[in-house]
Amino acid sequence: MHVPWAIDEADLAVIGPADSRVQEIRTTHFPWNTVVHLCRDFGVGTCSGCSGILISPRRVLTAAHCLWSSARGAPQRIFVVAGRRGRGTMPFGGVESRGFWIPRGFMTGPRRSEWDWGLIILRHSVSRALRRFLPIRALSHLLHRDLREQGYISVVAYPSDRPVGA
């Protein structure tokens, strides 16, 4: 599927004092195939990138800041691509969103970071080839602390400060 506005524009980010990120190349294998690239059009016809994770065939969990900006408002269109490894790869195709939801607390504050999550509903399933999705459950504070201290927590996303697939 060709999407004329799916060309990633600069959505710059700052990554700590040292950049230790690595590119995952097994993007068609679970769980990496559930990581999605979000191509957001804020009304100018270009793509502003962000990331999310498939939690069901038609649901994407993402950050609220991917879905609403005090400067740009909400995106007019969101195109979701799973398992992307580079600019020209869409191994499972892509799907346009039907709608999305973010907590009111993110828009109204005052502690927006506590509400920085959102849900995207897709028009249809990304691909019949995707049969497993990441489960969602709340962790106890003790388990979260143990995982964090043992280094088992990783942030997985498409970097907005590099070209798609870099």
Side-chain angles (χ1 to χ4, degrees):
M1 170 184 246
H2 175 69
V3 180
W5 50 274
I7 299 168
D8 202 359
E9 293 293 320
D11 221 36
L12 302 178
V14 176
I15 309 297
D19 187 347
S20 61
R21 297 175 292 173
V22 295
Q23 180 184 6
E24 177 57 56
I25 61 170
R26 299 168 298 160
T27 61
T28 59
H29 296 88
F30 185 82
W32 314 113
N33 61 357
T34 63
V35 179
V36 298
H37 179 250
L38 304 176
C39 180
R40 305 162 302 151
D41 179 2
F42 285 92
V44 294
T46 59
C47 175
S48 178
C50 221
S51 299
I53 193 87
L54 282 165
I55 58 172
S56 80
R58 295 184 56 206
R59 307 277 187 289
V60 174
L61 181 66
T62 189
H65 70 260
C66 291
L67 302 173
W68 189 82
S69 159
S70 56
R72 298 185 283 183
Q76 293 182 6
R77 294 171 65 185
I78 303 171
F79 190 71
V80 176
V81 181
R84 197 167 204 176
R85 193 166 119 187
R87 182 176 296 278
T89 63
M90 294 184 3
F92 303 105
V95 178
E96 196 164 340
S97 69
R98 188 182 82 196
F100 62 85
W101 182 89
I102 60 173
R104 185 173 310 205
F106 181 78
M107 291 189 291
T108 61
R111 296 184 313 248
R112 294 182 64 203
S113 63
E114 294 178 17
W115 299 99
D116 195 6
W117 62 276
L119 185 69
I120 299 171
I121 311 299
L122 303 177
R123 291 191 185 280
H124 57 81
S125 298
V126 170
S127 171
R128 288 192 175 117
L130 294 174
R131 300 192 190 284
R132 293 176 64 193
F133 304 93
L134 289 183
I136 295 185
R137 65 175 183 248
L139 300 178
S140 70
H141 290 292
L142 291 175
L143 181 55
H144 184 267
R145 185 198 67 206
D146 289 347
L147 290 171
R148 187 179 66 240
E149 288 174 359
Q150 294 172 23
Y152 290 130
I153 294 177
S154 296
V155 175
V156 178
Y158 290 94
S160 60
D161 63 328
R162 296 182 183 177
V164 174

